Amino acid sequence: MRRVDCVVIGAGQAGLAMSHCLTTRGVDHVVLDRGRVAERWRSERWESLRLLTPNWQSRLPGFQYDGDDPDGFMTMADVVAYFERYAASFGAPVHEQVEVTAVRLDGDGFRVETTADTWQAATVVVATGYADRPWVPSLAGRFPGHIAHLVPTAYRRPEQLPEGAVLVVGASASGLQLADELNRAGRAVTIAVGHHTRLPRRYRGLDILRWLDWMGVLDESVDRVYDIEISREQPSLQLVGDPGHRTLDLSGLRARGVRVVGRLIDVDAGVTQFADDLVATTAAADIKMASLQHRIDRFIAAHDLAAEPALPFAPQCLGFAGADTRLDLDASSTRTVLWATGFRRHYPWLQIPVLDDRGEIRHRGGITPAPGLYVLGLHFLRKRNSSFIDGVGADAEALCTHVKQRLDETHTSNARRKTNGPRTEAVA
Ligand SMILES: Cc1cc2nc3c(=O)[nH]c(=O)nc-3n(C[C@H](O)[C@H](O)[C@H](O)COP(=O)(O)OP(=O)(O)OC[C@H]3O[C@@H](n4cnc5c(N)ncnc54)[C@H](O)[C@@H]3O)c2cc1C
């Protein structure tokens, strides 16, 4: 058995950010990944994908974008190279192709079993990602057998899909981008839309994320929101990292021939049913977007900033009245359903009672009920941008302080036990 003070599980942005913080504070640790550094960006993303966050917003502890296109958007190859450079910049102790198969309590610390060595560690940081497993509703089982099903992590390019039309379920960043790509590739596309967050790419002359960054919106912490559980369920932003900085929204898709419908609610005898809720969901997204733009306007006025004039707000919802509520799969030649319906986490290897009844790790700002066990990189862990490249660093810094304290405590109590011997045990 090998000993180390801290085991970090996962070498994505969260695991690497934590490793940087631990390195800076001289904590002996390893980072274990079942694949390679940034594995999900290599093997679970589609070919044309670019980050939807601009390059300047790839700030990590001790590292930031230093190229000549700060307002551009990295391709997947760029992202992988960026994280490889980050890991190399501080000699991150990453062990690649090592899968963690069990984490158990072991005295004051943990026993971490892997496909290679077994580790004994006083602290463990779970950084296996919030976008772990695509979630597909049970409704999928009601589609006729000849319909192909695909999730975004398995989708690569349009030609991979069987000939014919495509039903995309879900209209957050992934669903919208994939509907757009398939439409441009000449496919007939229907997109089923639920609750979503609409945003323009640019507003008053700047990237929308630049405004949100300056205003501190993305840094808002869990105690600033009304209900953290609701905030954690918020859909991702309807944005695309397009080199032309275009806005991607439902109206634009519909103008190009994509059939936009409400939430998928049933499938019966090869006919899908959609809720008659498209006006309601698009109106809710319109209101939220209008209020955010208004907040930006007030920020510009309050700080007397030079900005392009505000254009009249253009709501989308009214254009969606009377949307179809059914789709006959065969009559429309629909052969594929692409489920862009979000992610869940799965921790079968975590043999410590910290999971809630949904299988999520119970935590407060990443600190779990098991002393010495931490989780990093989850959606809204501590702040709105906790699962973004730009946000994970602050959370890693905060949790690193806890790791260090825990190590100091366990080292002190071990030293005391050694000095006092059995007397301390008897008193305890
Ligand atoms: C399609 C998509 C686009 C996104 N675009 C952006 C964007 O533009 N900007 C942005 O800031 N964020 C974006 N995100 C959000 C976020 O940045 C990513 O989800 C990111 O990958 C999360 O990083 P992470 O380190 O928390 O987890 P991951 O990148 O998921 O890393 C977890 C690592 O853990 C490893 N692992 C899992 N289980 C085990 C195990 N048992 N043993 C060992 N290793 C294990 C995996 O191999 C993986 O490498 C996007 C997310 C998605 C899904």
Side-chain angles (χ1 to χ4, degrees):
M1 181 134 65
R2 299 178 69 176
R3 281 169 202 272
V4 70
D5 280 341
C6 182
V7 168
V8 180
I9 310 173
Q13 70 212 23
L16 294 178
M18 179 49 95
S19 179
H20 185 277
C21 299
L22 295 170
T23 302
T24 307
R25 298 196 192 190
V27 175
D28 178 30
H29 70 284
V30 288
V31 183
L32 310 178
D33 200 292
R34 64 184 177 198
R36 294 156 291 176
V37 163
E39 185 58 48
R40 297 221 205 251
W41 298 106
R42 299 172 194 261
S43 55
E44 296 190 15
R45 308 281 189 253
W46 58 95
E47 290 169 2
S48 66
L49 180 66
R50 286 174 178 263
L51 289 187
L52 55 78
T53 45
N55 292 335
W56 59 262
Q57 210 175 22
S58 299
R59 298 169 291 207
L60 288 157
F63 202 70
Q64 61 183 33
Y65 179 81
D66 58 0
D68 54 9
D69 187 16
D71 295 319
F73 304 96
M74 290 189 210
T75 63
M76 290 304 99
D78 297 335
V79 176
V80 170
Y82 187 73
F83 286 123
E84 280 180 336
R85 266 204 309 134
Y86 184 41
S89 70
F90 61 93
V94 180
H95 296 228
E96 295 188 326
Q97 313 294 349
V98 175
E99 180 163 4
V100 171
T101 52
V103 177
R104 306 177 200 281
L105 289 171
D106 182 16
D108 281 348
F110 304 92
R111 178 188 167 93
V112 181
E113 295 166 15
T114 78
T115 45
D117 302 304
T118 295
W119 295 85
Q120 191 184 46
T123 56
V124 169
V125 180
V126 177
T128 49
Y130 89 92
D132 183 18
R133 294 196 172 187
W135 178 76
V136 174
S138 56
L139 203 57
R142 296 174 58 110
F143 278 79
H146 64 278
I147 300 291
H149 297 262
L150 206 65
V151 289
T153 51
Y155 172 83
R156 294 291 168 273
R157 66 196 82 85
E159 305 76 54
Q160 171 194 3
L161 271 52
E163 293 282 304
V166 184
L167 169 62
V168 176
V169 184
S172 290
S174 296
L176 223 64
Q177 290 184 27
L178 295 179
D180 179 49
E181 169 157 303
L182 291 162
N183 166 270
R184 286 172 192 274
R187 299 296 185 113
V189 178
T190 299
I191 183 164
V193 178
H195 181 41
H196 59 277
T197 308
R198 181 184 172 208
L199 274 190
R201 181 73 264 180
R202 291 176 72 78
Y203 185 64
R204 301 198 58 180
L206 287 181
D207 193 282
I208 189 79
L209 295 178
R210 180 65 86 179
W211 291 119
L212 301 193
D213 183 57
W214 280 348
M215 291 161 59
V217 172
L218 301 170
D219 275 338
E220 278 168 4
S221 66
V222 288
D223 45 20
R224 288 282 307 277
V225 299
Y226 173 66
D227 182 329
I228 184 58
E229 291 310 323
I230 294 176
S231 294
R232 284 188 176 138
E233 294 298 319
Q234 287 303 304
S236 62
L237 311 173
Q238 276 185 345
L239 287 174
V240 61
D242 183 83
H245 301 266
R246 74 190 160 104
T247 290
L248 179 59
D249 61 17
L250 292 168
S251 306
L253 284 182
R254 201 184 52 166
R256 294 211 327 270
V258 172
R259 187 195 308 211
V260 182
V261 295
R263 197 164 42 88
L264 176 67
I265 50 174
D266 199 10
V267 192
D268 190 23
V271 178
T272 57
Q273 295 289 333
F274 306 105
D276 186 13
D277 62 356
L278 191 56
V279 172
T281 52
T282 49
D286 282 346
I287 290 168
K288 228 172 149 182
M289 177 165 137
S291 92
L292 182 69
Q293 292 189 351
H294 185 54
R295 202 171 150 186
I296 298 173
D297 294 341
R298 279 182 293 148
F299 177 80
I300 290 170
H303 293 83
D304 204 14
L305 301 174
E308 286 179 6
L311 299 174
F313 183 72
Q316 290 192 129
C317 61
L318 295 179
F320 288 115
D324 294 337
T325 52
R326 58 196 299 281
L327 175 74
D328 183 319
L329 295 168
D330 284 345
S332 61
S333 305
T334 302
R335 296 282 172 271
T336 308
V337 184
L338 228 166
W339 297 97
T341 35
F343 291 89
R344 293 284 188 279
R345 276 82 18 218
H346 192 51
Y347 306 102
W349 41 267
L350 192 52
Q351 306 291 315
I352 299 173
V354 291
L355 301 184
D356 65 16
D357 49 13
R358 296 166 306 161
E360 300 286 356
I361 296 180
R362 282 183 289 130
H363 71 91
R364 210 173 255 266
I367 302 165
T368 80
L373 180 69
Y374 306 92
V375 60
L376 182 63
L378 297 183
H379 198 39
F380 223 138
L381 187 92
R382 287 174 163 251
K383 294 184 290 102
R384 208 175 278 288
N385 58 3
S386 286
S387 57
F388 283 20
I389 297 169
D390 197 47
V392 75
D395 288 1
E397 302 274 7
L399 286 185
C400 188
T401 302
H402 289 272
V403 170
K404 191 82 176 73
Q405 270 167 7
R406 175 73 189 161
L407 289 172
D408 291 345
E409 279 161 21
T410 48
H411 288 161
T412 311
S413 72
N414 286 345
R416 211 178 284 137
R417 226 174 268 153
K418 267 189 202 148
T419 317
N420 295 344
R423 203 162 64 92
T424 315
E425 299 298 336
V427 171

